[in-house]
PDB file of all heavy atoms in Angstrom:
ATOM      1  N   ARG A   8      98.529 108.094 117.172  1.00  0.00           N
ATOM      2  CA  ARG A   8      99.178 106.799 116.971  1.00  0.00           C
ATOM      3  C   ARG A   8     100.633 106.990 116.576  1.00  0.00           C
ATOM      4  O   ARG A   8     101.526 106.271 116.991  1.00  0.00           O
ATOM      5  CB  ARG A   8      98.430 106.012 115.909  1.00  0.00           C
ATOM      6  CG  ARG A   8      98.939 104.596 115.707  1.00  0.00           C
ATOM      7  CD  ARG A   8      98.211 103.926 114.569  1.00  0.00           C
ATOM      8  NE  ARG A   8      96.771 103.964 114.779  1.00  0.00           N
ATOM      9  CZ  ARG A   8      95.874 103.695 113.828  1.00  0.00           C
ATOM     10  NH1 ARG A   8      96.299 103.399 112.604  1.00  0.00           N
ATOM     11  NH2 ARG A   8      94.576 103.734 114.097  1.00  0.00           N
ATOM     12  N   LEU A   9     100.909 107.982 115.687  1.00  0.00           N
ATOM     13  CA  LEU A   9     102.270 108.213 115.244  1.00  0.00           C
ATOM     14  C   LEU A   9     103.129 108.815 116.332  1.00  0.00           C
ATOM     15  O   LEU A   9     104.357 108.676 116.331  1.00  0.00           O
ATOM     16  CB  LEU A   9     102.265 109.133 114.014  1.00  0.00           C
ATOM     17  CG  LEU A   9     101.657 108.525 112.742  1.00  0.00           C
ATOM     18  CD1 LEU A   9     101.526 109.594 111.676  1.00  0.00           C
ATOM     19  CD2 LEU A   9     102.514 107.387 112.230  1.00  0.00           C
ATOM     20  N   GLN A  10     102.487 109.526 117.285  1.00  0.00           N
ATOM     21  CA  GLN A  10     103.255 110.149 118.369  1.00  0.00           C
ATOM     22  C   GLN A  10     103.668 109.144 119.437  1.00  0.00           C
ATOM     23  O   GLN A  10     104.478 109.460 120.302  1.00  0.00           O
ATOM     24  CB  GLN A  10     102.422 111.273 119.001  1.00  0.00           C
ATOM     25  CG  GLN A  10     102.324 112.501 118.109  1.00  0.00           C
ATOM     26  CD  GLN A  10     101.432 113.564 118.717  1.00  0.00           C
ATOM     27  OE1 GLN A  10     100.603 113.270 119.591  1.00  0.00           O
ATOM     28  NE2 GLN A  10     101.588 114.803 118.257  1.00  0.00           N
ATOM     29  N   ARG A  11     103.076 107.934 119.426  1.00  0.00           N
ATOM     30  CA  ARG A  11     103.467 106.926 120.386  1.00  0.00           C
ATOM     31  C   ARG A  11     104.926 106.543 120.168  1.00  0.00           C
ATOM     32  O   ARG A  11     105.412 106.547 119.047  1.00  0.00           O
ATOM     33  CB  ARG A  11     102.597 105.676 120.229  1.00  0.00           C
ATOM     34  CG  ARG A  11     101.119 105.929 120.537  1.00  0.00           C
ATOM     35  CD  ARG A  11     100.306 104.696 120.188  1.00  0.00           C
ATOM     36  NE  ARG A  11      98.887 104.956 120.365  1.00  0.00           N
ATOM     37  CZ  ARG A  11      97.928 104.115 119.992  1.00  0.00           C
ATOM     38  NH1 ARG A  11      98.286 102.956 119.408  1.00  0.00           N
ATOM     39  NH2 ARG A  11      96.662 104.412 120.175  1.00  0.00           N
ATOM     40  N   PRO A  12     105.613 106.221 121.235  1.00  0.00           N
ATOM     41  CA  PRO A  12     107.040 105.851 121.090  1.00  0.00           C
ATOM     42  C   PRO A  12     107.163 104.531 120.315  1.00  0.00           C
ATOM     43  O   PRO A  12     106.859 103.468 120.834  1.00  0.00           O
ATOM     44  CB  PRO A  12     107.510 105.697 122.532  1.00  0.00           C
ATOM     45  CG  PRO A  12     106.262 105.442 123.329  1.00  0.00           C
ATOM     46  CD  PRO A  12     105.170 106.186 122.665  1.00  0.00           C
ATOM     47  N   ARG A  13     107.557 104.673 119.078  1.00  0.00           N
ATOM     48  CA  ARG A  13     107.785 103.502 118.220  1.00  0.00           C
ATOM     49  C   ARG A  13     109.160 103.620 117.594  1.00  0.00           C
ATOM     50  O   ARG A  13     109.797 104.664 117.643  1.00  0.00           O
ATOM     51  CB  ARG A  13     106.721 103.410 117.123  1.00  0.00           C
ATOM     52  CG  ARG A  13     105.296 103.247 117.673  1.00  0.00           C
ATOM     53  CD  ARG A  13     104.298 103.092 116.551  1.00  0.00           C
ATOM     54  NE  ARG A  13     104.545 101.876 115.782  1.00  0.00           N
ATOM     55  CZ  ARG A  13     103.858 101.549 114.706  1.00  0.00           C
ATOM     56  NH1 ARG A  13     102.896 102.335 114.268  1.00  0.00           N
ATOM     57  NH2 ARG A  13     104.149 100.427 114.041  1.00  0.00           N
ATOM     58  N   SER A  14     109.590 102.558 116.980  1.00  0.00           N
ATOM     59  CA  SER A  14     110.909 102.558 116.350  1.00  0.00           C
ATOM     60  C   SER A  14     110.930 103.527 115.172  1.00  0.00           C
ATOM     61  O   SER A  14     109.885 103.870 114.595  1.00  0.00           O
ATOM     62  CB  SER A  14     111.265 101.144 115.880  1.00  0.00           C
ATOM     63  OG  SER A  14     110.309 100.703 114.924  1.00  0.00           O
ATOM     64  N   GLU A  15     112.119 103.957 114.810  1.00  0.00           N
ATOM     65  CA  GLU A  15     112.248 104.897 113.695  1.00  0.00           C
ATOM     66  C   GLU A  15     111.863 104.235 112.370  1.00  0.00           C
ATOM     67  O   GLU A  15     111.973 103.023 112.210  1.00  0.00           O
ATOM     68  CB  GLU A  15     113.688 105.418 113.614  1.00  0.00           C
ATOM     69  CG  GLU A  15     114.081 106.298 114.782  1.00  0.00           C
ATOM     70  CD  GLU A  15     115.448 106.912 114.594  1.00  0.00           C
ATOM     71  OE1 GLU A  15     116.125 106.547 113.583  1.00  0.00           O
ATOM     72  OE2 GLU A  15     115.844 107.744 115.407  1.00  0.00           O
ATOM     73  N   LEU A  16     111.397 105.072 111.447  1.00  0.00           N
ATOM     74  CA  LEU A  16     110.961 104.596 110.144  1.00  0.00           C
ATOM     75  C   LEU A  16     111.911 105.149 109.083  1.00  0.00           C
ATOM     76  O   LEU A  16     111.826 106.311 108.702  1.00  0.00           O
ATOM     77  CB  LEU A  16     109.535 105.076 109.850  1.00  0.00           C
ATOM     78  CG  LEU A  16     108.893 104.583 108.542  1.00  0.00           C
ATOM     79  CD1 LEU A  16     108.805 103.067 108.521  1.00  0.00           C
ATOM     80  CD2 LEU A  16     107.517 105.206 108.368  1.00  0.00           C
ATOM     81  N   PRO A  17     112.854 104.335 108.615  1.00  0.00           N
ATOM     82  CA  PRO A  17     113.833 104.848 107.632  1.00  0.00           C
ATOM     83  C   PRO A  17     113.163 105.195 106.294  1.00  0.00           C
ATOM     84  O   PRO A  17     112.178 104.565 105.890  1.00  0.00           O
ATOM     85  CB  PRO A  17     114.822 103.694 107.464  1.00  0.00           C
ATOM     86  CG  PRO A  17     114.549 102.755 108.601  1.00  0.00           C
ATOM     87  CD  PRO A  17     113.123 102.931 108.969  1.00  0.00           C
ATOM     88  N   VAL A  18     113.725 106.168 105.639  1.00  0.00           N
ATOM     89  CA  VAL A  18     113.240 106.536 104.300  1.00  0.00           C
ATOM     90  C   VAL A  18     113.415 105.376 103.323  1.00  0.00           C
ATOM     91  O   VAL A  18     112.575 105.160 102.431  1.00  0.00           O
ATOM     92  CB  VAL A  18     113.988 107.800 103.803  1.00  0.00           C
ATOM     93  CG1 VAL A  18     113.647 108.083 102.337  1.00  0.00           C
ATOM     94  CG2 VAL A  18     113.656 108.997 104.663  1.00  0.00           C
ATOM     95  N   GLU A  19     114.495 104.604 103.494  1.00  0.00           N
ATOM     96  CA  GLU A  19     114.741 103.479 102.602  1.00  0.00           C
ATOM     97  C   GLU A  19     113.612 102.448 102.658  1.00  0.00           C
ATOM     98  O   GLU A  19     113.249 101.842 101.639  1.00  0.00           O
ATOM     99  CB  GLU A  19     116.070 102.801 102.935  1.00  0.00           C
ATOM    100  CG  GLU A  19     117.304 103.634 102.606  1.00  0.00           C
ATOM    101  CD  GLU A  19     117.516 104.765 103.604  1.00  0.00           C
ATOM    102  OE1 GLU A  19     116.835 104.757 104.665  1.00  0.00           O
ATOM    103  OE2 GLU A  19     118.346 105.642 103.328  1.00  0.00           O
ATOM    104  N   ARG A  20     113.028 102.261 103.893  1.00  0.00           N
ATOM    105  CA  ARG A  20     111.945 101.297 104.011  1.00  0.00           C
ATOM    106  C   ARG A  20     110.696 101.805 103.304  1.00  0.00           C
ATOM    107  O   ARG A  20     109.980 101.038 102.642  1.00  0.00           O
ATOM    108  CB  ARG A  20     111.639 101.040 105.491  1.00  0.00           C
ATOM    109  CG  ARG A  20     110.579  99.962 105.702  1.00  0.00           C
ATOM    110  CD  ARG A  20     110.389  99.644 107.164  1.00  0.00           C
ATOM    111  NE  ARG A  20     111.635  99.195 107.774  1.00  0.00           N
ATOM    112  CZ  ARG A  20     111.783  98.982 109.085  1.00  0.00           C
ATOM    113  NH1 ARG A  20     110.788  99.211 109.915  1.00  0.00           N
ATOM    114  NH2 ARG A  20     112.934  98.563 109.560  1.00  0.00           N
ATOM    115  N   ILE A  21     110.408 103.121 103.394  1.00  0.00           N
ATOM    116  CA  ILE A  21     109.251 103.680 102.681  1.00  0.00           C
ATOM    117  C   ILE A  21     109.428 103.521 101.176  1.00  0.00           C
ATOM    118  O   ILE A  21     108.490 103.167 100.458  1.00  0.00           O
ATOM    119  CB  ILE A  21     109.081 105.174 103.057  1.00  0.00           C
ATOM    120  CG1 ILE A  21     108.821 105.311 104.560  1.00  0.00           C
ATOM    121  CG2 ILE A  21     107.959 105.802 102.258  1.00  0.00           C
ATOM    122  CD1 ILE A  21     108.759 106.738 105.043  1.00  0.00           C
ATOM    123  N   LEU A  22     110.652 103.765 100.688  1.00  0.00           N
ATOM    124  CA  LEU A  22     110.908 103.612  99.259  1.00  0.00           C
ATOM    125  C   LEU A  22     110.780 102.153  98.833  1.00  0.00           C
ATOM    126  O   LEU A  22     110.325 101.863  97.712  1.00  0.00           O
ATOM    127  CB  LEU A  22     112.299 104.145  98.916  1.00  0.00           C
ATOM    128  CG  LEU A  22     112.492 105.656  99.061  1.00  0.00           C
ATOM    129  CD1 LEU A  22     113.949 106.023  98.840  1.00  0.00           C
ATOM    130  CD2 LEU A  22     111.599 106.414  98.082  1.00  0.00           C
ATOM    131  N   GLU A  23     111.164 101.230  99.722  1.00  0.00           N
ATOM    132  CA  GLU A  23     111.009  99.804  99.415  1.00  0.00           C
ATOM    133  C   GLU A  23     109.537  99.448  99.289  1.00  0.00           C
ATOM    134  O   GLU A  23     109.130  98.724  98.372  1.00  0.00           O
ATOM    135  CB  GLU A  23     111.681  98.978 100.505  1.00  0.00           C
ATOM    136  CG  GLU A  23     111.613  97.468 100.255  1.00  0.00           C
ATOM    137  CD  GLU A  23     112.249  96.685 101.389  1.00  0.00           C
ATOM    138  OE1 GLU A  23     112.951  97.304 102.222  1.00  0.00           O
ATOM    139  OE2 GLU A  23     112.050  95.460 101.441  1.00  0.00           O
ATOM    140  N   TRP A  24     108.706  99.969 100.232  1.00  0.00           N
ATOM    141  CA  TRP A  24     107.261  99.734 100.133  1.00  0.00           C
ATOM    142  C   TRP A  24     106.698 100.348  98.856  1.00  0.00           C
ATOM    143  O   TRP A  24     105.833  99.767  98.209  1.00  0.00           O
ATOM    144  CB  TRP A  24     106.562 100.348 101.355  1.00  0.00           C
ATOM    145  CG  TRP A  24     106.867  99.635 102.645  1.00  0.00           C
ATOM    146  CD1 TRP A  24     107.289  98.358 102.816  1.00  0.00           C
ATOM    147  CD2 TRP A  24     106.769 100.198 103.959  1.00  0.00           C
ATOM    148  NE1 TRP A  24     107.475  98.058 104.148  1.00  0.00           N
ATOM    149  CE2 TRP A  24     107.152  99.178 104.884  1.00  0.00           C
ATOM    150  CE3 TRP A  24     106.418 101.426 104.470  1.00  0.00           C
ATOM    151  CZ2 TRP A  24     107.172  99.377 106.261  1.00  0.00           C
ATOM    152  CZ3 TRP A  24     106.411 101.636 105.838  1.00  0.00           C
ATOM    153  CH2 TRP A  24     106.793 100.612 106.731  1.00  0.00           C
ATOM    154  N   ALA A  25     107.187 101.538  98.510  1.00  0.00           N
ATOM    155  CA  ALA A  25     106.690 102.210  97.293  1.00  0.00           C
ATOM    156  C   ALA A  25     107.062 101.427  96.047  1.00  0.00           C
ATOM    157  O   ALA A  25     106.243 101.299  95.109  1.00  0.00           O
ATOM    158  CB  ALA A  25     107.246 103.625  97.222  1.00  0.00           C
ATOM    159  N   ASP A  26     108.290 100.890  96.007  1.00  0.00           N
ATOM    160  CA  ASP A  26     108.703 100.081  94.853  1.00  0.00           C
ATOM    161  C   ASP A  26     107.842  98.839  94.726  1.00  0.00           C
ATOM    162  O   ASP A  26     107.450  98.434  93.615  1.00  0.00           O
ATOM    163  CB  ASP A  26     110.172  99.693  94.988  1.00  0.00           C
ATOM    164  CG  ASP A  26     111.106 100.881  94.831  1.00  0.00           C
ATOM    165  OD1 ASP A  26     110.699 101.881  94.224  1.00  0.00           O
ATOM    166  OD2 ASP A  26     112.250 100.812  95.344  1.00  0.00           O
ATOM    167  N   ARG A  27     107.529  98.214  95.857  1.00  0.00           N
ATOM    168  CA  ARG A  27     106.682  97.024  95.841  1.00  0.00           C
ATOM    169  C   ARG A  27     105.278  97.370  95.348  1.00  0.00           C
ATOM    170  O   ARG A  27     104.674  96.631  94.560  1.00  0.00           O
ATOM    171  CB  ARG A  27     106.634  96.416  97.239  1.00  0.00           C
ATOM    172  CG  ARG A  27     106.021  95.019  97.302  1.00  0.00           C
ATOM    173  CD  ARG A  27     106.000  94.520  98.738  1.00  0.00           C
ATOM    174  NE  ARG A  27     107.335  94.624  99.353  1.00  0.00           N
ATOM    175  CZ  ARG A  27     107.547  94.520 100.665  1.00  0.00           C
ATOM    176  NH1 ARG A  27     106.515  94.342 101.495  1.00  0.00           N
ATOM    177  NH2 ARG A  27     108.769  94.609 101.157  1.00  0.00           N
ATOM    178  N   PHE A  28     104.757  98.515  95.803  1.00  0.00           N
ATOM    179  CA  PHE A  28     103.440  98.978  95.367  1.00  0.00           C
ATOM    180  C   PHE A  28     103.432  99.244  93.860  1.00  0.00           C
ATOM    181  O   PHE A  28     102.490  98.866  93.147  1.00  0.00           O
ATOM    182  CB  PHE A  28     103.071 100.250  96.145  1.00  0.00           C
ATOM    183  CG  PHE A  28     101.673 100.747  95.873  1.00  0.00           C
ATOM    184  CD1 PHE A  28     100.631 100.395  96.715  1.00  0.00           C
ATOM    185  CD2 PHE A  28     101.400 101.559  94.780  1.00  0.00           C
ATOM    186  CE1 PHE A  28      99.330 100.843  96.470  1.00  0.00           C
ATOM    187  CE2 PHE A  28     100.116 102.004  94.527  1.00  0.00           C
ATOM    188  CZ  PHE A  28      99.081 101.646  95.378  1.00  0.00           C
ATOM    189  N   HIS A  29     104.497  99.883  93.365  1.00  0.00           N
ATOM    190  CA  HIS A  29     104.584 100.206  91.930  1.00  0.00           C
ATOM    191  C   HIS A  29     104.700  98.944  91.085  1.00  0.00           C
ATOM    192  O   HIS A  29     104.105  98.865  89.999  1.00  0.00           O
ATOM    193  CB  HIS A  29     105.789 101.121  91.685  1.00  0.00           C
ATOM    194  CG  HIS A  29     105.896 101.628  90.286  1.00  0.00           C
ATOM    195  ND1 HIS A  29     106.561 100.927  89.298  1.00  0.00           N
ATOM    196  CD2 HIS A  29     105.410 102.744  89.695  1.00  0.00           C
ATOM    197  CE1 HIS A  29     106.483 101.609  88.160  1.00  0.00           C
ATOM    198  NE2 HIS A  29     105.788 102.711  88.370  1.00  0.00           N
ATOM    199  N   ALA A  30     105.430  97.965  91.563  1.00  0.00           N
ATOM    200  CA  ALA A  30     105.571  96.723  90.816  1.00  0.00           C
ATOM    201  C   ALA A  30     104.252  95.973  90.729  1.00  0.00           C
ATOM    202  O   ALA A  30     103.981  95.286  89.740  1.00  0.00           O
ATOM    203  CB  ALA A  30     106.646  95.842  91.466  1.00  0.00           C
ATOM    204  N   ARG A  31     103.416  96.122  91.754  1.00  0.00           N
ATOM    205  CA  ARG A  31     102.157  95.386  91.783  1.00  0.00           C
ATOM    206  C   ARG A  31     101.027  96.120  91.054  1.00  0.00           C
ATOM    207  O   ARG A  31     100.223  95.490  90.367  1.00  0.00           O
ATOM    208  CB  ARG A  31     101.741  95.144  93.233  1.00  0.00           C
ATOM    209  CG  ARG A  31     100.474  94.321  93.390  1.00  0.00           C
ATOM    210  CD  ARG A  31     100.274  93.847  94.808  1.00  0.00           C
ATOM    211  NE  ARG A  31      99.101  92.997  94.914  1.00  0.00           N
ATOM    212  CZ  ARG A  31      98.706  92.408  96.029  1.00  0.00           C
ATOM    213  NH1 ARG A  31      99.427  92.554  97.148  1.00  0.00           N
ATOM    214  NH2 ARG A  31      97.633  91.641  96.049  1.00  0.00           N
ATOM    215  N   HIS A  32     100.992  97.462  91.180  1.00  0.00           N
ATOM    216  CA  HIS A  32      99.858  98.217  90.648  1.00  0.00           C
ATOM    217  C   HIS A  32     100.205  99.035  89.421  1.00  0.00           C
ATOM    218  O   HIS A  32      99.306  99.601  88.778  1.00  0.00           O
ATOM    219  CB  HIS A  32      99.311  99.161  91.732  1.00  0.00           C
ATOM    220  CG  HIS A  32      98.822  98.443  92.950  1.00  0.00           C
ATOM    221  ND1 HIS A  32      97.598  97.804  93.000  1.00  0.00           N
ATOM    222  CD2 HIS A  32      99.408  98.239  94.167  1.00  0.00           C
ATOM    223  CE1 HIS A  32      97.435  97.260  94.193  1.00  0.00           C
ATOM    224  NE2 HIS A  32      98.533  97.500  94.932  1.00  0.00           N
ATOM    225  N   GLY A  33     101.492  99.174  89.063  1.00  0.00           N
ATOM    226  CA  GLY A  33     101.867  99.951  87.895  1.00  0.00           C
ATOM    227  C   GLY A  33     101.816 101.447  88.105  1.00  0.00           C
ATOM    228  O   GLY A  33     101.868 102.193  87.123  1.00  0.00           O
ATOM    229  N   ARG A  34     101.722 101.918  89.317  1.00  0.00           N
ATOM    230  CA  ARG A  34     101.740 103.354  89.628  1.00  0.00           C
ATOM    231  C   ARG A  34     102.327 103.539  91.018  1.00  0.00           C
ATOM    232  O   ARG A  34     102.477 102.584  91.787  1.00  0.00           O
ATOM    233  CB  ARG A  34     100.341 103.946  89.570  1.00  0.00           C
ATOM    234  CG  ARG A  34      99.355 103.362  90.592  1.00  0.00           C
ATOM    235  CD  ARG A  34      97.989 104.008  90.489  1.00  0.00           C
ATOM    236  NE  ARG A  34      97.072 103.442  91.480  1.00  0.00           N
ATOM    237  CZ  ARG A  34      96.955 103.857  92.739  1.00  0.00           C
ATOM    238  NH1 ARG A  34      97.752 104.863  93.192  1.00  0.00           N
ATOM    239  NH2 ARG A  34      96.104 103.300  93.563  1.00  0.00           N
ATOM    240  N   TRP A  35     102.680 104.800  91.344  1.00  0.00           N
ATOM    241  CA  TRP A  35     103.258 105.082  92.647  1.00  0.00           C
ATOM    242  C   TRP A  35     102.151 105.382  93.657  1.00  0.00           C
ATOM    243  O   TRP A  35     101.097 105.900  93.288  1.00  0.00           O
ATOM    244  CB  TRP A  35     104.220 106.264  92.561  1.00  0.00           C
ATOM    245  CG  TRP A  35     105.407 105.984  91.705  1.00  0.00           C
ATOM    246  CD1 TRP A  35     105.641 106.428  90.454  1.00  0.00           C
ATOM    247  CD2 TRP A  35     106.534 105.166  92.051  1.00  0.00           C
ATOM    248  NE1 TRP A  35     106.822 105.960  89.960  1.00  0.00           N
ATOM    249  CE2 TRP A  35     107.410 105.171  90.934  1.00  0.00           C
ATOM    250  CE3 TRP A  35     106.900 104.435  93.175  1.00  0.00           C
ATOM    251  CZ2 TRP A  35     108.604 104.477  90.910  1.00  0.00           C
ATOM    252  CZ3 TRP A  35     108.104 103.736  93.154  1.00  0.00           C
ATOM    253  CH2 TRP A  35     108.934 103.766  92.047  1.00  0.00           C
ATOM    254  N   PRO A  36     102.353 105.081  94.927  1.00  0.00           N
ATOM    255  CA  PRO A  36     101.293 105.266  95.925  1.00  0.00           C
ATOM    256  C   PRO A  36     101.099 106.736  96.274  1.00  0.00           C
ATOM    257  O   PRO A  36     101.965 107.584  96.056  1.00  0.00           O
ATOM    258  CB  PRO A  36     101.816 104.480  97.129  1.00  0.00           C
ATOM    259  CG  PRO A  36     103.306 104.515  96.983  1.00  0.00           C
ATOM    260  CD  PRO A  36     103.577 104.491  95.511  1.00  0.00           C
ATOM    261  N   ASN A  37      99.915 107.011  96.858  1.00  0.00           N
ATOM    262  CA  ASN A  37      99.640 108.331  97.427  1.00  0.00           C
ATOM    263  C   ASN A  37      98.961 108.153  98.762  1.00  0.00           C
ATOM    264  O   ASN A  37      98.771 107.024  99.250  1.00  0.00           O
ATOM    265  CB  ASN A  37      98.790 109.170  96.468  1.00  0.00           C
ATOM    266  CG  ASN A  37      97.487 108.484  96.088  1.00  0.00           C
ATOM    267  OD1 ASN A  37      96.719 108.053  96.954  1.00  0.00           O
ATOM    268  ND2 ASN A  37      97.237 108.351  94.778  1.00  0.00           N
ATOM    269  N   ALA A  38      98.585 109.264  99.390  1.00  0.00           N
ATOM    270  CA  ALA A  38      98.061 109.208 100.764  1.00  0.00           C
ATOM    271  C   ALA A  38      96.706 108.524 100.852  1.00  0.00           C
ATOM    272  O   ALA A  38      96.255 108.213 101.975  1.00  0.00           O
ATOM    273  CB  ALA A  38      97.966 110.623 101.341  1.00  0.00           C
ATOM    274  N   ASN A  39      96.028 108.260  99.754  1.00  0.00           N
ATOM    275  CA  ASN A  39      94.683 107.677  99.774  1.00  0.00           C
ATOM    276  C   ASN A  39      94.675 106.191  99.456  1.00  0.00           C
ATOM    277  O   ASN A  39      93.604 105.643  99.192  1.00  0.00           O
ATOM    278  CB  ASN A  39      93.790 108.419  98.778  1.00  0.00           C
ATOM    279  CG  ASN A  39      93.673 109.893  99.076  1.00  0.00           C
ATOM    280  OD1 ASN A  39      93.573 110.282 100.241  1.00  0.00           O
ATOM    281  ND2 ASN A  39      93.683 110.720  98.039  1.00  0.00           N
ATOM    282  N   ASP A  40      95.843 105.530  99.476  1.00  0.00           N
ATOM    283  CA  ASP A  40      95.926 104.147  99.030  1.00  0.00           C
ATOM    284  C   ASP A  40      95.812 103.117 100.139  1.00  0.00           C
ATOM    285  O   ASP A  40      96.114 101.942  99.919  1.00  0.00           O
ATOM    286  CB  ASP A  40      97.242 103.930  98.258  1.00  0.00           C
ATOM    287  CG  ASP A  40      97.135 104.426  96.837  1.00  0.00           C
ATOM    288  OD1 ASP A  40      96.067 104.267  96.232  1.00  0.00           O
ATOM    289  OD2 ASP A  40      98.112 105.005  96.326  1.00  0.00           O
ATOM    290  N   GLY A  41      95.395 103.513 101.330  1.00  0.00           N
ATOM    291  CA  GLY A  41      95.086 102.559 102.368  1.00  0.00           C
ATOM    292  C   GLY A  41      96.290 101.923 103.035  1.00  0.00           C
ATOM    293  O   GLY A  41      97.332 102.550 103.229  1.00  0.00           O
ATOM    294  N   GLN A  42      96.125 100.615 103.367  1.00  0.00           N
ATOM    295  CA  GLN A  42      97.125  99.894 104.142  1.00  0.00           C
ATOM    296  C   GLN A  42      98.434  99.737 103.379  1.00  0.00           C
ATOM    297  O   GLN A  42      98.450  99.504 102.170  1.00  0.00           O
ATOM    298  CB  GLN A  42      96.591  98.502 104.498  1.00  0.00           C
ATOM    299  CG  GLN A  42      97.428  97.735 105.499  1.00  0.00           C
ATOM    300  CD  GLN A  42      97.272  98.275 106.913  1.00  0.00           C
ATOM    301  OE1 GLN A  42      96.193  98.709 107.298  1.00  0.00           O
ATOM    302  NE2 GLN A  42      98.336  98.257 107.680  1.00  0.00           N
ATOM    303  N   VAL A  43      99.556  99.878 104.104  1.00  0.00           N
ATOM    304  CA  VAL A  43     100.880  99.662 103.545  1.00  0.00           C
ATOM    305  C   VAL A  43     101.159  98.166 103.532  1.00  0.00           C
ATOM    306  O   VAL A  43     101.033  97.503 104.561  1.00  0.00           O
ATOM    307  CB  VAL A  43     101.954 100.414 104.342  1.00  0.00           C
ATOM    308  CG1 VAL A  43     103.349 100.098 103.797  1.00  0.00           C
ATOM    309  CG2 VAL A  43     101.713 101.903 104.298  1.00  0.00           C
ATOM    310  N   GLU A  44     101.517  97.634 102.389  1.00  0.00           N
ATOM    311  CA  GLU A  44     101.859  96.220 102.304  1.00  0.00           C
ATOM    312  C   GLU A  44     103.239  96.022 102.908  1.00  0.00           C
ATOM    313  O   GLU A  44     104.246  96.416 102.335  1.00  0.00           O
ATOM    314  CB  GLU A  44     101.850  95.770 100.836  1.00  0.00           C
ATOM    315  CG  GLU A  44     100.499  95.913 100.173  1.00  0.00           C
ATOM    316  CD  GLU A  44     100.554  95.506  98.711  1.00  0.00           C
ATOM    317  OE1 GLU A  44     101.592  94.984  98.296  1.00  0.00           O
ATOM    318  OE2 GLU A  44      99.561  95.722  98.002  1.00  0.00           O
ATOM    319  N   GLY A  45     103.313  95.417 104.040  1.00  0.00           N
ATOM    320  CA  GLY A  45     104.570  95.232 104.737  1.00  0.00           C
ATOM    321  C   GLY A  45     104.501  95.696 106.174  1.00  0.00           C
ATOM    322  O   GLY A  45     105.400  95.422 106.968  1.00  0.00           O
ATOM    323  N   ASP A  46     103.439  96.421 106.536  1.00  0.00           N
ATOM    324  CA  ASP A  46     103.250  96.888 107.919  1.00  0.00           C
ATOM    325  C   ASP A  46     101.760  96.877 108.195  1.00  0.00           C
ATOM    326  O   ASP A  46     100.992  97.679 107.640  1.00  0.00           O
ATOM    327  CB  ASP A  46     103.831  98.280 108.114  1.00  0.00           C
ATOM    328  CG  ASP A  46     103.924  98.661 109.591  1.00  0.00           C
ATOM    329  OD1 ASP A  46     102.989  98.317 110.352  1.00  0.00           O
ATOM    330  OD2 ASP A  46     104.923  99.281 109.976  1.00  0.00           O
TER     331      ASP A  46
END
């Protein structure tokens, strides 16, 4: 799925998702946290 031709994913957008996750859950995300809120 990731190898399909899709638009680039900026690091700033990942950090924005992480900040949103931290504000909601009080901790930083990891690889086991499921769906990304925002995509």
